[in-house]
């Protein structure tokens, strides 16, 4: 999906008339329901005319150009994707071009650069950025992976000359090359070796663009399906932009700890589906294979136990012991690990002490954040402050930064952008924020937000839980897709009962004549039912209703969400109702905390689905709102 498509000559006419950047901004508002920032609008206005003029001069005015083309299953867009015919193979030829207006940059080590106008967070070297875009396009477009057409990547810094660009060291291959203003002729020569200059190939160029835009794309690699190979074998996931920046910053911090005996706390912040856990497993696998002492820690029993089960296909005790909990480190020696990766760090608690903690360990306990920082030479925290769903969870940037500075540690913060879950749909991400009142923009119907877009994510409101369940059942069986129903914590969660001599789950979630059990309780196994840790990943999980504590951190293809009476619409506003909640911990929250925790709960539940989300509310007024907003 591109914001705008035409041949280079026609686009140049629009650019020279100062229309093209406005057309792109208009399409961005339509397709992504997002205004265009001044910097991006200015970038289009300044970069596209000289770039398109270069194409015209090179004899490539007939080539089809996809501007701001969205890569499959990511929120990332490549500035320009040129579609033409290869002069030698006569096959379709695709050239991804990243345009940069930078006038200077300085190395930040590895494939990272500092660009003054973009603040302190490093950026990927442009050649590495476009290389990873090419890899993403090929990985998830079988037509290209099977050799249907060639794919090439070029970064073009049309403003920078030899005096401003001194970062000449980078890997060169078909996916990643770089040219500056002083290398303009070499850039044009390179393009003409990849795209035929014969105007009669215009038909072939249009056909190449059509084929790419209509090509079948495979779903993104789900974390749990590829976790074992990531840890044991090699990199399974292509890290893009800020994800790769975060990865490299951690590697640099590890090297600095060796070289300078320094200690850097790395904080990675991103929303649901922004790739935090992908970064965590990529780091764990690579550092572990290099012989580093590295552990992965969470505050989630479900997430940790699932990773242990799925990753340890070989029953390796050593690998299983790489996955631990935040409360593991009471009394452990300082800097006894090379790296500690704290995934889902928003679930960090005040202390690691609980009712099972032995007396000798209680005496040694510090604040949990301090324990996690102290135990590793490079502590890494991956978090989303909007996923705090229980009182006492305190893994925030401010808390971690304060603890790190108190321990005389350097702090490096990386912000992740975009939504890689939910099909990489920026539209759905914005729709959910508007729906739940997490942005100043008013809720908007799904049809309005997706009008004139190629959006493939599906959203529905179903009139009953029976309809919701049936909707999911019709979509999951044939392709091995996963489907789950999760709900707000608005019903009791009973212990299993004995029926005719067999332990059985109780149908606690009762809506009219529809009755279903919650997922199994931890430590209370039921025959034929997955343990609570594995509700989201075990095929037997469909048929039980998941709660926030079993759904958080996981993904499945088709998601059903039941809103209970704890969060309802009244007079165009959301109202959180403490008396309708059965979550004993959340009910203890303050008047200020309670609505935020409930809102965060539904934000998490609405962002589990990879392909679609359907919803139902037990409250008639809220259900009426859902039916309007999903229409």
């Amino acid at each position: 999906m591109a914001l705008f498509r035409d041949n280079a000559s026609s686009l140049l006419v629009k650019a020279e008339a100062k229309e093209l950047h406005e057309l792109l901004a208009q399409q961005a508002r339509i397709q992504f329901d997002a205004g265009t920032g001044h910097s991006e609008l200015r970038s289009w206005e300044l970069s596209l005319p000289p770039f398109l003029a270069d194409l015209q001069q090179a004899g490539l005015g007939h080539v089809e150009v996809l501007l701001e083309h969205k890569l499959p299953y990511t929120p990332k867009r490549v500035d320009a994707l040129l579609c033409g015919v290869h002069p030698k193979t006569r096959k379709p030829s695709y050239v991804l071009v990243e345009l940069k207006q930078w006038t200077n940059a300085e190395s930040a080590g590895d494939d990272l650069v500092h660009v003054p106008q973009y603040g302190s967070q490093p950026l990927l070297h442009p050649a590495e950025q476009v290389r990873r875009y090419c890899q993403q396009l090929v990985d998830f477009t079988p037509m290209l992976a099977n050799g249907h057409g060639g794919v090439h990547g070029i970064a073009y810094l049309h403003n920078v000359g030899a005096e401003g660009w001194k970062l000449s060291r980078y890997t060169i291959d078909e996916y990643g090359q770089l040219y500056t203003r002083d290398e303009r002729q070499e850039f044009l020569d390179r393009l003409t070796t990849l795209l035929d200059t014969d105007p009669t190939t215009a038909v072939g160029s249009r056909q190449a663009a059509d084929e790419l835009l209509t090509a079948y794309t495979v779903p993104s690699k789900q974390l749990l399906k590829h976790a074992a190979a990531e840890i044991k074998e090699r990199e399974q996931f292509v890290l893009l932009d800020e994800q790769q920046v975060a990865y490299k910053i951690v590697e640099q911090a590890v090297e600095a700890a060796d070289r300078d005996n320094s200690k850097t706390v790395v904080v990675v912040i991103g929303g649901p589906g922004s790739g935090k856990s992908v970064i965590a497993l990529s780091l764990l696998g690579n550092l572990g294979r290099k012989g580093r002492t590295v552990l992965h820690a969470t505050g989630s029993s479900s997430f940790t136990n699932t990773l242990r089960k799925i990753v340890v296909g070989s029953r390796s005790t050593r690998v299983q012991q790489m996955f631990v909990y935040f409360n593991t480190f009471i009394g452990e020696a300082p800097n006894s690990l090379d790296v500690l990766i704290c995934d889902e760090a928003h679930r960090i608690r005040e202390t690691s002490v609980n009712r099972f903690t032995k007396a000798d360990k209680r005496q040694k306990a510090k604040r949990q954040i301090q324990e996690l920082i102290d135990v590793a030479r490079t502590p890494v925290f991956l978090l989303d402050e909007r996923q705090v769903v229980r009182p006492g969870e305190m893994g925030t940037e401010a808390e971690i930064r304060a603890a790190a500075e108190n321990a005389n540690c350097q702090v490096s913060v990386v912000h992740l952008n975009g939504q890689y879950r939910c099909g990489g749909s920026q539209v759905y991400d914005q729709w959910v924020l508007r729906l739940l009142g997490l942005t100043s923009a008013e809720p908007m119907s799904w049809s309005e937000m997706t009008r004139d877009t190629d959006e493939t994510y599906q959203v529905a409101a179903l009139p009953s839980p029976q309809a919701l369940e049936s909707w999911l059942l019709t979509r999951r069986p044939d392709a091995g897709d996963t489907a789950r129903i999760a709900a707000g914590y608005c019903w009791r969660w009973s212990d299993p009962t004995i029926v005719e001599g067999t332990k059985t789950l109780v149908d606690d979630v009762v809506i009219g004549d529809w009755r279903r059990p919650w997922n199994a309780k931890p430590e209370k196994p039921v025959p034929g039912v997955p343990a609570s840790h594995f509700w989201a990943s075990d095929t037997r999980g469909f048929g039980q209703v998941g709660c926030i504590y079993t759904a958080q951190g996981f993904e499945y293809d088709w998601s059903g969400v039941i809103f209970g009476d704890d969060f309802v619409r009244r007079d165009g506003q959301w109202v959180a109702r403490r008396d309708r909640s059965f979550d004993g911990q959340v009910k203890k929250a303050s008047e200020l905390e309670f609505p935020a925790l409930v809102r965060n709960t539904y934000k998490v539940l609405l962002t589990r689905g990879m392909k679609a989300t359907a919803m139902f509310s037990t409250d008639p007024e809220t259900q009426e709102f859902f039916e309007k907003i999903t229409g």
Side-chain angles (χ1 to χ4, degrees), residues 78 101 172 224 338 369 569 588:
V78 62
Q101 291 188 76
I172 297 174
L224 295 179
D338 287 326
I369 287 177
R569 294 288 287 188
K588 296 175 185 176

Side-chain angles (χ1 to χ4, degrees), residues 542-562:
F542 192 85
Q544 304 123 43
V545 179
C547 70
I548 180 62
Y549 305 116
T550 45
Q552 190 173 27
F554 294 98
E555 58 193 22
Y556 23 89
D557 296 298
W558 303 87
S559 172
V561 181
I562 296 175

Side-chain angles (χ1 to χ4, degrees), residues 13 18 36 91-92 161 190 228 258 309 328 428 430 448 618 631:
V13 172
K18 298 190 178 300
T36 303
K91 289 184 176 182
R190 175 63 178 160
D258 290 342
K309 177 183 178 182
T328 302
Y428 181 69
Q430 287 295 315
E448 286 183 82
T618 56

Side-chain angles (χ1 to χ4, degrees), residues 347 349 387-393 549 583 585-586 593 597:
R347 304 198 68 176
R349 317 271 311 169
Q387 287 199 56
V388 171
V389 296
R390 297 188 75 170
E393 293 181 342
Y549 305 116
D583 190 328
Q585 292 295 319
V586 172
E593 267 190 309
L597 294 175

Side-chain angles (χ1 to χ4, degrees), residues 287 291-295 336-340:
L287 293 169
R292 294 286 187 176
T293 54
V294 54
L295 295 180
S336 52
L337 298 173
D338 287 326
V339 182
L340 176 62

Side-chain angles (χ1 to χ4, degrees), residues 151-197:
V151 175
H152 315 272
I154 297 175
Y156 185 33
L157 284 72
H158 55 87
N159 278 352
V160 68
E163 73 284 353
W165 184 259
K166 305 185 186 301
L167 306 180
S168 58
R169 294 180 59 189
Y170 63 94
T171 302
I172 297 174
D173 58 22
E174 286 298 310
Y175 287 175
Q177 298 190 13
L178 180 144
Y179 297 90
T180 64
R181 181 186 65 208
D182 295 341
E183 300 166 320
R184 178 173 173 274
Q185 189 55 53
E186 291 93 328
F187 169 60
L188 300 184
D189 292 344
R190 175 63 178 160
L191 289 178
T192 57
T193 66
L194 303 174
L195 300 162
D196 200 319
T197 58

Side-chain angles (χ1 to χ4, degrees), residues 138 227 248 272 333:
V138 172
K248 286 294 184 181

Side-chain angles (χ1 to χ4, degrees), residues 100 132 164 232 261 265 336 346 412 436 474 535 576 617 622:
K100 302 295 184 188
R132 289 173 176 273
K232 298 174 191 174
N261 198 29
V265 174
S336 52
H346 40 268
S412 185
L436 296 177
T474 60
W535 167 81
S617 174
T622 309

